[in-house]
Amino acid sequence: MANQGDSPVNEGRRRFLTTTTAVVGAVGAGFAAVPFIKSWNPSARAKLAGAPVTADITGLVEGQRLILEWRGQPIWIVKRSQAILTALPTLDGRLRDPKSDNADQQPDYIKKANPELRSLKPEISVLVGLCTHLGCSPELKAEIRPEPFDPEWKGGYFCPCHKSRFDMAGRVFQGVPAPTNLKVPPHYYENDTTIIIGVDPSSSNSAGAA
């Protein structure tokens, strides 16, 4: 009899918890994860209550992914290359929601800033790292090169649980189990190198808001 703890959701959660306590190995050409730094986060109780999380991206270089935790979810901050930014608009015809029309998947100010890049700054992507199918944590496949699951791969995220695919803006491909794009959490830039996760720009004067 199958163990309930071996379900895709629990498997994805275990993989996330492992990721957030260790350095993730390099993925793709030049892409690497920065270790999860607990000192950047409030207490566990505060995180579950939705307290904001501060990320310092001073040292984030092109091709790196920073992994944080907010409300018990992995938050991915990635600095995208110009090649990735150039490739994103070419994928629209292969995507389920290329213009981010599903308002539940990102704040309105993200869509207004750029629906294809889904970010406040073109080069910086901020996403909730959970597949919108069953909550597994997708793998970063950042290189623009043919992959076994897609011979025309332009970089993005691949969920091994049920083969869902997302581009480097977190937009979901057509014909996969995941129904929607990866979520973009509320966030704003306190300055050029500091991102506050969990607070909208309009609430930046009251950073303690959930």
Side-chain angles (χ1 to χ4, degrees):
M1 181 179 295
N3 190 319
Q4 185 177 3
D6 292 333
S7 69
V9 176
N10 288 326
E11 180 183 350
R13 184 172 297 278
R14 286 199 302 272
R15 287 182 20 235
F16 160 53
L17 291 174
T18 300
T19 299
T20 57
T21 55
V23 180
V24 179
V27 183
F31 267 73
V34 177
F36 178 73
I37 300 178
K38 293 183 180 179
S39 62
W40 290 350
N41 289 274
S43 68
R45 180 177 296 179
K47 284 186 292 186
L48 290 174
V53 176
T54 300
D56 182 354
I57 60 170
T58 303
L60 191 66
V61 300
E62 186 176 290
Q64 278 189 326
R65 174 176 57 166
L66 176 65
I67 302 175
L68 304 175
E69 182 182 359
W70 173 69
R71 288 188 172 178
Q73 305 171 103
I75 303 298
W76 294 343
I77 302 176
V78 174
K79 188 166 187 178
R80 299 177 289 203
S81 67
Q82 185 56 53
I84 290 294
L85 296 178
T86 300
L88 285 174
T90 71
L91 295 171
D92 285 13
R94 303 181 62 196
L95 304 174
R96 183 170 291 168
D97 184 14
K99 302 300 182 185
S100 304
D101 291 326
N102 187 332
D104 294 334
Q105 301 314 113
Q106 65 281 311
D108 184 59
Y109 52 85
I110 297 293
K111 177 177 170 59
K112 289 180 178 178
N114 195 313
E116 290 180 335
L117 300 182
R118 304 182 77 219
S119 60
L120 294 175
K121 291 186 177 184
E123 71 277 15
I124 303 295
S125 171
V126 182
L127 297 169
V128 175
L130 293 176
C131 180
T132 54
H133 178 220
L134 291 176
C136 296
S137 188
E139 298 174 353
L140 175 61
K141 300 285 187 179
E143 280 192 273
I144 300 177
R145 69 177 187 183
E147 292 282 356
F149 53 83
D150 190 338
E152 299 180 4
W153 189 243
K154 302 297 183 184
Y157 304 95
F158 174 71
C159 187
C161 296
H162 298 94
K163 316 305 182 187
S164 291
R165 291 170 289 144
F166 307 84
D167 70 3
M168 286 296 288
R171 298 179 300 172
V172 67
F173 279 73
Q174 298 175 7
V176 302
T180 57
N181 296 340
L182 296 178
K183 289 188 176 182
V184 177
H187 66 280
Y188 76 97
Y189 286 83
E190 187 175 63
N191 52 52
D192 287 342
T193 59
T194 305
I195 305 176
I196 309 299
I197 309 295
V199 180
D200 294 319
S202 60
S203 303
S204 60
N205 291 329
S206 54

